[in-house]
């Protein structure tokens, strides 16, 4: 996107505000335009103005939270996301953004359940790589003894490496574990403890009884403290959470 094309929405909203200074949506759109120009403080001011006009403006509260994260004002971001959710309880984007901020700041037990909201927004689902299967997702409560489960990569290479090693937990529950990963990681992860078969994405899948994306694994198994996932996640690949990549691709999900 060219600079000129990015500036046009900003110029349009500025003109609109000059005509209707108390039009909350115009201030919100101006905040979006300024965010595209990477003018974070100015964008924040516009969102704040929109919220001052309409305190129940869930989209503005959610977008303000994203800017506050960029500014590393994490507590303020958490407050903004929670206000958006209080205004609109079934707002997937706000829940998902809240989870990213919680995980980023080490609030794992709160963050992982919130992260499951990515299932409820089609734009986020498509970016995160959530798949559609006829076989049920394993929710951590069904017995896996004698069952076959597919664990599949849904995001970046680092996330796959981080979570694939916990497949042994599922194997200890009596399951035969199929692990589907990106082509670049197949050789590395073959022979991983607890994995019966490594499958490259795109290959034909064997039959299985349950399936679970790797990024849902921690929440489903509830083994956070037992296997010290918190520390490994923070010190490894997880603190990035593909934040910038996903944020840019899901900008339309507000």
């Amino acid at each position: 996107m060219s600079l000129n094309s990015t500036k046009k929405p900003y110029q349009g909203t500025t003109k609109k505000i000059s005509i209707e200074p108390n039009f909350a949506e115009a201030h919100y759109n101006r905040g979006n335009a300024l965010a595209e120009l990477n003018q974070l403080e100015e964008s924040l001011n516009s969102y704040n103005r929109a919220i001052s006009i309409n305190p129940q403006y869930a989209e503005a509260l959610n977008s303000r939270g994203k800017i506050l994260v960029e500014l590393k004002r994490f507590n303020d971001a958490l407050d903004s996301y929670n206000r958006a959710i209080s205004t609109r309880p079934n707002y997937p984007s706000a829940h998902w953004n809240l989870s990213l901020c919680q995980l980023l700041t080490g609030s794992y037990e709160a963050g992982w359940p919130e992260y499951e909201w990515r299932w409820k927004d089609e734009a986020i689902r498509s970016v995160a790589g959530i798949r559609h299967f006829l076989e049920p997702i394993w929710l951590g409560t069904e017995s896996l003894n004698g069952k076959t489960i597919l664990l599949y990569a849904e995001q970046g290479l680092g996330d796959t490496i981080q979570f694939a090693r916990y497949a042994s937990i599922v194997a200890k529950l009596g399951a035969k574990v199929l692990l589907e990963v990106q082509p670049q990681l197949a050789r590395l992860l073959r022979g991983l403890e607890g994995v019966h078969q490594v499958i490259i994405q795109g290959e034909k899948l064997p039959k299985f009884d349950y399936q679970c994306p790797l990024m849902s694994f921690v929440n489903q198994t509830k083994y956070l403290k037992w296997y010290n996932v918190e520390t490994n996640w923070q010190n490894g690949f997880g603190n990035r959470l593909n934040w910038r990549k996903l944020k840019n691709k899901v900008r339309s999900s507000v």
Side-chain angles (χ1 to χ4, degrees):
M1 182 180 292
S2 69
L3 184 61
N4 286 336
S5 64
T6 306
K7 282 186 174 180
K8 285 181 180 179
Y10 166 74
Q11 293 166 346
T13 56
T14 300
K15 183 177 180 180
K16 183 70 174 178
I17 289 167
S18 69
I19 299 170
E20 297 184 69
N22 291 320
F23 187 28
E25 186 176 352
H27 289 280
Y28 169 69
N29 289 334
R30 185 173 186 269
N32 291 340
L34 287 164
E36 289 286 349
L37 294 168
N38 202 35
Q39 297 182 24
L40 302 183
E41 291 288 354
E42 294 84 351
S43 174
L44 180 61
N45 290 337
S46 290
Y47 291 139
N48 284 338
R49 178 59 179 148
I51 294 163
S52 71
I53 298 169
N54 178 8
Q56 305 299 309
Y57 202 156
E59 289 87 354
L61 287 162
N62 182 44
S63 295
R64 181 177 70 172
K66 291 188 281 187
I67 294 297
L68 288 166
V69 168
E70 292 286 351
L71 295 171
K72 302 189 186 304
R73 293 171 53 182
F74 301 117
N75 288 334
D76 291 335
L78 290 169
D79 178 69
S80 200
Y81 292 138
N82 280 315
R83 284 183 60 188
I85 292 167
S86 177
T87 299
R88 188 187 303 167
N90 294 316
Y91 189 2
S93 181
H95 281 282
W96 190 64
N97 286 324
L98 173 64
S99 79
L100 295 178
C101 191
Q102 288 171 326
L103 294 171
L104 194 62
T105 54
S107 298
Y108 301 103
E109 292 191 25
W112 285 119
E114 286 291 309
Y115 197 66
E116 291 301 292
W117 276 84
R118 72 197 189 285
W119 290 86
K120 300 182 181 182
D121 185 287
E122 193 58 41
I124 298 173
R125 284 175 67 111
S126 63
V127 172
I130 300 295
R131 306 265 291 283
H132 297 275
F133 291 105
L134 295 177
E135 294 80 3
I137 185 171
W138 181 60
L139 299 175
T141 56
E142 302 87 351
S143 172
L144 289 179
N145 190 36
K147 303 293 185 180
T148 299
I149 183 170
L150 172 70
L151 302 180
Y152 65 91
E154 59 169 287
Q155 295 188 34
L157 300 178
D159 296 310
T160 301
I161 294 171
Q162 177 66 20
F163 287 98
R165 55 202 172 112
Y166 297 107
S168 60
I169 298 174
V170 180
K172 288 175 182 177
L173 296 175
K176 178 191 291 185
V177 177
L178 308 176
L179 179 63
E180 186 193 60
V181 300
Q182 299 91 334
Q184 303 94 312
L185 297 180
R187 182 177 179 185
L188 174 67
L189 296 177
R190 286 196 174 100
L192 191 66
E193 180 184 357
V195 174
H196 175 76
Q197 182 180 352
V198 170
I199 303 159
I200 296 174
Q201 288 177 342
E203 291 182 345
K204 184 177 180 180
L205 293 169
K207 291 183 178 180
F208 54 91
D209 302 295
Y210 292 101
Q211 46 85 16
C212 184
L214 285 177
M215 302 298 288
S216 290
F217 173 77
V218 175
N219 186 56
Q220 309 300 47
T221 57
K222 309 296 189 297
Y223 284 117
L224 282 169
K225 294 181 180 177
W226 293 13
Y227 284 80
N228 201 25
V229 175
E230 300 106 315
T231 301
N232 290 326
W233 174 253
Q234 188 174 40
N235 293 337
F237 298 93
N239 58 359
R240 294 198 302 272
L241 282 167
N242 289 317
W243 170 262
R244 295 181 183 276
K245 176 182 176 183
L246 292 174
K247 179 195 70 174
N248 292 334
K249 288 190 176 181
V250 192
R251 196 174 291 277
S252 61
S253 177
V254 295

